[in-house]
Amino acid sequence: MTDQADRPEPLIQGKPTSASRTTLSHIMTGSDTNLLGTVHGGVIMKLVDDAAGAVAGRHSGGPAVTASMDEMVFLEPVRVGDLVHVKAQVNWTGRSSMEVGVRVLAERWNESTPATQVGSAYLVFAAVDADGRPRPVPPVIPETERDKRRYQEAQIRRTHRLARRQAIKELREKRAAEGFDD
């Protein structure tokens, strides 16, 4: 009789990037503004997290939680009356984690001019089970040349995240060994 721990995990069917890609649109109002009269960056960050969370949940087929946000970049201010479109897709998957790329576009609600990119971000989500433990996610299948580029760039960002985390851990251990308590 084999122990369940000796059994390999069943293979999970991959999903194409288009299967979970989504756009969240929201019109900005006076309640979204900061002291400068433009839309507060935190409002945009929440929309980014909401769209990325929807994509991660769709791709993984269940709950997924935000593990980190990388490179949130604000390119242009967003104003009251702007219609904001938050476009998100899974760029890369690991065993239980996913990188979601997000582009933020804005256009005037009452004009027919093209939307302009006002921000971007990369978020890492972890798929979790009912007890909050990590669970496996399907591999992402890049479909276009852009998807393939995004997949490769996501691997680079992951390598940098892991190296940065390791370097910080080693520095803290070294300082603790030297008697620093910070």
Side-chain angles (χ1 to χ4, degrees):
M1 183 170 194
T2 32
D3 183 18
Q4 189 159 352
D6 294 336
R7 293 186 199 151
E9 286 188 30
L11 291 177
I12 300 174
Q13 182 81 22
K15 287 186 179 180
T17 50
S18 61
S20 57
R21 189 178 291 141
T22 194
T23 300
L24 172 69
S25 297
H26 188 81
I27 193 159
M28 299 290 105
T29 66
S31 64
D32 298 319
T33 60
N34 58 27
L35 296 174
L36 297 176
T38 56
V39 173
H40 196 289
V43 171
I44 301 300
M45 290 174 75
K46 182 178 183 334
L47 294 173
V48 164
D49 191 46
D50 287 347
V55 166
R58 282 177 159 186
H59 183 84
S60 69
V65 296
T66 310
S68 69
M69 176 184 270
D70 287 355
E71 300 179 39
M72 180 72 215
V73 177
F74 298 99
L75 302 169
E76 298 283 336
V78 177
R79 302 172 294 161
V80 170
D82 280 354
L83 182 56
V84 172
H85 308 286
V86 183
K87 298 177 176 284
Q89 77 171 47
V90 173
N91 290 336
W92 175 90
T93 54
R95 192 187 74 72
S96 62
S97 63
M98 301 158 275
E99 183 195 89
V100 179
V102 181
R103 286 186 337 139
V104 183
L105 303 133
E107 62 182 310
R108 294 305 293 166
W109 70 275
N110 59 347
E111 297 175 9
S112 58
T113 56
T116 58
Q117 186 170 351
V118 295
S120 65
Y122 299 100
L123 296 88
V124 177
F125 278 79
V128 294
D129 64 17
D131 296 319
R133 290 186 301 260
R135 62 182 174 79
V137 299
V140 66
I141 303 169
E143 298 172 280
T144 66
E145 286 305 313
R146 177 183 273 181
D147 292 341
K148 290 173 186 172
R149 174 187 55 80
R150 292 173 72 136
Y151 184 88
Q152 292 170 332
E153 290 173 357
Q155 289 178 305
I156 292 168
R157 281 186 293 274
R158 180 177 188 273
T159 299
H160 286 219
R161 273 192 299 273
L162 294 175
R164 183 178 60 235
R165 188 177 302 147
Q166 183 63 33
I168 290 170
K169 178 183 174 195
E170 289 170 6
L171 176 64
R172 288 181 178 174
E173 288 171 353
K174 180 181 177 231
R175 288 184 57 80
E178 293 170 350
F180 292 102
D181 184 23
D182 55 5

